[in-house]
């Protein structure tokens, strides 16, 4: 079977048993801050398992794209060194939400594995949790598995949980014995092949999890209201088994990528001793492509930092194949040819993904060069101290900050006659992993903390039609000064899709609560506020009132965001896609994919297009339809966003149509006026615009008018003449500065002679030091050149304070560089330490900067001793 046929046959099998085939959730769970990446198929159904959300179906199946690189589920260090670990992988899964349970899950799993796919029953094993007698009995009852192949294991192997807290339960795993020749631990003394023994002979194919508990933050288990089934099968592993391959990397999932890497490197992967390098690169391009497609970008924190590490790790292994120029981005088209049919989103964003990866690769080459420079400084410091070992913390800093792999640091250290403290390096690495695991802990609270006032459905949103309503409190809880409410129906919009939550008032019998924010937790709307009067809720009946002015201001900015998005596409091109947004009452922020700064003319064009739509007072309408129908009509869907089967479409006349659940105006004329305040870079390939509308724009224009009037009065001109008047002032200032430099040059001659007369001898080397008046660094350098040319032989260190910053310049004549091995960079660097600074440069001239002006004379006085320490 081809890999595409394996994926499809799994989905077809469960469709036959009335499962809803759902699309994969984004690999970056943008609506779940507790997870860096989607690491299991069940992530998108977490709210259902916790009783905080529902679905229109009770059975589901899908192929979920996953990444595991942090926290408890971290496979990064194993990738490339064995045949089956990956950072990115697909998980085939089926689910029951309070419908079928263990019997059907076990029976269907066996039917697919042993009958449809016809894997040899004699080689199949099932493991169960040691206390789960029901599952053990069912395996022997509803399947024809060899009873001796049903084995019990403890909590470590057969009790599944997402993290420190959250949904969990016993699990049953299906393993296959591939044969003795597959064991990769034969060289390990005392190793015995077996299930969960850690070798590649027995591998897990499918995990059937029976979710029946929620573990709280104290570690206690609580039965869930309904029992669920959550299964997960590694797509790459089962494909390798079905294709009879010893390694996942030998399947048609990976071989096109490996062939392309061979083509780029001119190294045949099947014969290479660097097979780990091929595997790492082929694995990492998959994680990079899918994550970038779903909206993640390389950065120095969170998900972006993980991507940056993956890309640099792949680039580092590329050097093992003698690839020193950017190459990873060239693999994207090959991956799309392999997987684009199953995940069309990667095809739609191909150009964006290629550009982001290429930009990051090019940036890494620059970082690598800076890292080499820092390595040289580190080595010089170590040698000066008479040491022979690079500390582990410093090696880790090179790895973590500059992307230096340990083996590269070791190679460069060896060339300098040094070694590296590997133990210290790995200790630092372990500490970082601990921090990553801690930050990835799953802390979502269950519904046990709520006080129930009334029963029934909740969180019916009526805010599209009204901003006031009667309601009943379903549940509430208090925490310190805060009150949290869940209502049966609500006009309050809950924060989502970039739009902030509504504020307002909820009032009842003898109490009034000021709502400061409204958030979503699953399908539920959580109203967060404080008592303004009263201090207890004694009646569930309440009246709700949204702050209408803020709602209207937010709607102005949200409708303007849609106009901005479409206008950017018109001006810059169809490659523009939303990469993030924030819609508040007083401003809007819009992140979009684009590869260079916008010109002033382009910003003006976009602003003009939006304001033309405002003047035309276009009708804004919304309607609900199916997701396929909305896309067929041309509605724009946002990458990385998770949509239900039924979606809401916001249409602005014939100008714009997007899938959107936010609140909007009735017509564009209500925006009033639109003004772009800034355009800047967020990260490689992503720009950010901040803008204002309505009253905020009016307020800004009034301030701008007043500022122009004040400036015109000071310059004694009309507002239209301000620009030309300022140009004249700037030209006058340049002329004055030029005259000042000429005057300084004239006085420099006498200063020069005075300094040379004060030279002191250090082991026969004339040393000149002194403070000079200088308005800029260029003048300081010119003075240094003059004194160097004037001295037959010698060293000069000059100090100046330029724009409140200490500047030190060192010049050395050529004879002392050759005969006495003096270097200006080393001298000035030592002097700069005294003024809390640093610097460097060429042997004959070097410049340093410092912060502490009070110690400038001390630094100059110390120069003779510094020279003496360097003389040989």
């Amino acid at each position: 079977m081809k890999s595409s046929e394996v994926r499809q046959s799994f989905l077809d099998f469960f469709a036959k048993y009335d499962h809803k085939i759902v699309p994969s959730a984004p690999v970056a769970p943008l609506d779940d801050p507790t997870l860096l990446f989607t690491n299991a198929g069940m992530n998108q159904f977490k709210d259902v398992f916790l009783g905080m959300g529902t679905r229109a179906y009770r059975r589901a199946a899908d192929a979920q794209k996953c990444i595991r690189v942090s926290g408890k589920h971290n496979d990064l260090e194993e990738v490339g060194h064995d045949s089956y670990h990956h950072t990115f992988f697909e998980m085939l899964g089926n689910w029951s939400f309070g419908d079928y349970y263990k019997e059907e899950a076990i029976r269907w799993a066996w039917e697919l594995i042993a009958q449809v796919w016809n894997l040899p029953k004699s080689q199949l094993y099932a493991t169960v949790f040691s206390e789960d007698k029901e599952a053990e009995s069912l395996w022997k009852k509803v399947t024809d598995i060899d009873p001796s192949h049903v084995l019990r294991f403890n909590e470590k192997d057969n009790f599944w949980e997402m993290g420190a807290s959250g949904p969990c339960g016993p699990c049953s795993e299906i393993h296959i014995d591939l044969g003795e020749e597959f064991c990769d631990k034969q060289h390990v003394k005392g190793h015995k092949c077996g299930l969960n023994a850690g070798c590649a002979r027995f591998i897990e194919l499918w995990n059937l999890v029976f979710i029946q508990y929620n573990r709280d933050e104290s570690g206690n288990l609580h039965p869930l209201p309904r029992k669920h089934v959550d299964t997960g099968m590694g797509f790459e592993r089962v494909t390798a088994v079905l294709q009879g391959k010893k390694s996942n990397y030998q399947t048609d999932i990976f071989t096109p990528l490996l062939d392309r890497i061979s083509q780029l490197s001119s190294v045949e992967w099947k014969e290479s001793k660097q097979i780990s390098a091929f595997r790492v690169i082929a694995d990492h391009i998959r994680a990079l492509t899918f994550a970038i497609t779903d909206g993640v970008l390389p950065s120095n924190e969170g998900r972006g930092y993980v991507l940056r590490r993956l890309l640099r790790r792949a680039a580092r292994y590329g050097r093992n194949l003698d690839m020193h120029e950017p190459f990873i981005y060239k693999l994207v088209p090959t991956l799309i040819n392999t997987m684009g049919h199953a995940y069309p989103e990667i095809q739609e964003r191909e150009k964006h993904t290629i550009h982001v990866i290429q930009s990051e690769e090019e940036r890494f080459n620059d970082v690598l060069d800076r890292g080499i420079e820092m390595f040289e400084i580190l080595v010089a410091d170590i040698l000066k101290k008479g040491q022979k070992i690079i500390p582990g913390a410093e090696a880790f800093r090179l790895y973590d900050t500059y992307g230096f792999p340990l083996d590269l640091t070791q190679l460069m250290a060896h060339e300098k006659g040094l070694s590296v403290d590997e133990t210290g390096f790995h200790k630092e690495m372990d500490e970082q992993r601990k921090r990553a695991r801690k930050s990835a802990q799953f802390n979502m609270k269950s519904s046990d903390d709520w006080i129930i006032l009334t029963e029934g459905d909740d969180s019916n949103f009526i805010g599209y039609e009204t901003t006031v309503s009667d309601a009943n409190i379903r549940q509430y809880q208090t925490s310190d000064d805060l009150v949290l409410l869940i209502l049966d129906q609500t006009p309050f919009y809950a924060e989502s899709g970039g739009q902030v939550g509504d504020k307002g008032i909820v009032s009842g019998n003898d109490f009034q609560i000021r709502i400061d924010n409204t958030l979503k937790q699953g399908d539920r709307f959580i109203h967060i506020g404080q008592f303004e009067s009263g201090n207890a809720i004694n009646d569930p009946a309440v009246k709700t009132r949204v702050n209408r002015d803020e709602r209207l201001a937010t709607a102005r900015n949200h409708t303007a965001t849609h106009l901005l998005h479409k206008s950017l596409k018109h001006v810059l091109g169809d490659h523009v896609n939303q990469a993030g947004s924030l819609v508040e009452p007083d401003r809007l922020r819009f992140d979009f994919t684009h590869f260079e700064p916008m010109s002033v003319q382009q910003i003006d064009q976009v602003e003009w297009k939006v304001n033309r739509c405002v003047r035309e007072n276009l009708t804004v309408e919304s309607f609900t339809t199916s997701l396929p129908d909305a896309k067929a009509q041309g509605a724009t869907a946002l990458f990385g966003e998770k949509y239900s089967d039924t979606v809401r479409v916001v249409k602005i006349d014939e100008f714009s149509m997007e899938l959107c659940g936010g609140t909007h105006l009735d017509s564009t004329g209500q925006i009033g006026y639109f003004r772009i305040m800034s355009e800047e870079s967020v990260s490689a390939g992503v720009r950010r615009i901040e803008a204002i509308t309505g009253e905020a724009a009016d307020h800004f224009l009034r301030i701008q008018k007043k500022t122009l009037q004040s400036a015109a009065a000071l310059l004694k001109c009309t507002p239209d003449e301000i620009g030309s008047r300022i140009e004249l002032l700037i030209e006058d200032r340049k002329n004055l500065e030029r005259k000042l430099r000429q005057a300084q040059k004239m006085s420099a001659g006498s200063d020069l002679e005075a300094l040379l007369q004060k030279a002191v001898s250090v082991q026969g080397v004339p040393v000149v030091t002194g403070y000079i008046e200088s308005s800029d660094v260029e003048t300081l350098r010119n003075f240094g050149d003059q004194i160097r040319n004037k001295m037959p032989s010698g060293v000069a260190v000059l100090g100046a304070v330029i724009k409140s910053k200490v500047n030190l310049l060192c010049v050395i004549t050529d004879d002392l560089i050759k005969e006495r091995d003096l270097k200006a960079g080393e001298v000035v660097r030592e002097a700069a330490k005294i003024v809390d600074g640093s610097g460097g440069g060429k042997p004959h001239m070097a410049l340093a900067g410092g912060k502490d002006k009070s110690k400038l004379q001390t630094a100059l006085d110390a120069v003779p001793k510094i020279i003496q320490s360097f003389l040989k």
Side-chain angles (χ1 to χ4, degrees), residues 23 80 130 243 249 270 407 466 514 543 547 590 621 659 712 770 799:
S130 56
Q243 293 185 356
Y249 294 97
K270 294 175 184 176
D407 50 8
T466 184
R514 183 190 72 248
K543 293 186 180 296
N547 184 319
F590 187 75
E621 59 177 317
L659 304 186

Side-chain angles (χ1 to χ4, degrees), residues 224-392:
L224 289 168
R226 293 190 299 171
K227 296 177 180 179
H228 311 289
V229 172
D230 161 33
T231 85
M233 177 194 295
F235 170 66
E236 291 78 8
R237 286 191 186 184
V238 77
T239 298
V241 171
L242 290 169
Q243 293 185 356
K245 304 297 184 183
K246 276 194 171 186
S247 163
N248 294 357
Y249 294 97
Q250 294 173 348
T251 67
D252 63 343
I253 301 170
F254 286 96
T255 50
L257 287 169
L258 297 171
D259 289 340
R260 178 61 173 145
I261 298 167
S262 287
Q263 187 181 38
L264 292 171
S265 65
S266 300
V267 179
E268 176 52 53
W269 68 270
K270 294 175 184 176
E271 302 169 3
S272 175
K273 295 179 181 179
Q274 295 288 350
I275 187 62
S276 291
F278 283 96
R279 289 172 175 174
V280 168
I281 295 165
D283 172 89
H284 287 8
I285 186 59
R286 285 158 39 96
L288 289 165
T289 298
F290 278 91
I292 291 168
T293 293
D294 282 348
V296 185
L297 292 164
S299 68
N300 284 329
E301 58 185 23
R303 295 166 179 146
Y305 180 59
V306 172
L307 251 62
R308 180 158 285 169
R309 285 182 62 209
L310 289 179
L311 191 144
R312 292 182 177 184
R313 196 168 185 264
R316 155 215 164 168
Y317 277 97
R319 278 171 162 74
N320 292 353
L321 302 176
D322 204 26
M323 291 192 286
H324 295 272
E325 296 300 318
F327 69 93
I328 302 169
Y329 73 95
K330 296 177 182 178
L331 300 173
V332 174
T334 304
L335 176 64
I336 289 171
N337 288 339
T338 306
M339 301 187 70
H341 63 284
Y343 300 100
E345 61 269 25
I346 62 173
Q347 196 159 6
E348 294 171 24
R349 304 203 77 187
E350 179 178 3
K351 287 184 179 179
H352 169 67
T353 302
I354 288 173
H355 181 84
V356 170
I357 293 176
Q358 184 178 5
S359 299
E360 186 68 17
E361 282 192 88
E362 291 168 351
R363 186 176 301 174
F364 175 54
N365 280 349
D366 295 338
V367 171
L368 189 57
D369 292 337
R370 291 202 298 273
I372 291 171
E373 183 181 338
M374 292 305 298
F375 176 84
E376 294 295 339
I377 293 172
L378 172 65
V379 167
D381 189 51
I382 289 171
L383 291 174
K384 183 179 176 183
K385 295 175 181 177
Q387 299 173 351
K388 290 290 183 180
I389 300 174
I390 295 177

Side-chain angles (χ1 to χ4, degrees), residues 52-66:
M52 296 175 179
T54 59
R55 297 293 186 275
Y57 43 84
R58 298 184 69 183
R59 299 179 179 186
D62 82 345
Q64 173 64 51
K65 43 194 182 181
C66 302

Side-chain angles (χ1 to χ4, degrees), residues 32 34 42-43 45-53 97 162 165-168 211 213-216 222 224-226 228 442-448 450 521-522 524:
D32 187 351
T34 65
M42 64 83 65
N43 290 162
F45 303 117
K46 192 167 65 180
D47 59 325
V48 179
F49 298 139
L50 288 170
M52 296 175 179
F97 309 123
M162 180 178 292
S165 61
C168 57
I211 297 179
Y213 302 112
N214 182 64
R215 189 184 295 279
D216 63 25
H222 303 279
L224 289 168
R226 293 190 299 171
H228 311 289
F442 175 68
N443 293 315
M444 195 174 194
K445 292 184 178 180
S446 70
S447 54
D448 298 337
W450 294 91
Q521 192 177 57
R524 289 181 162 173

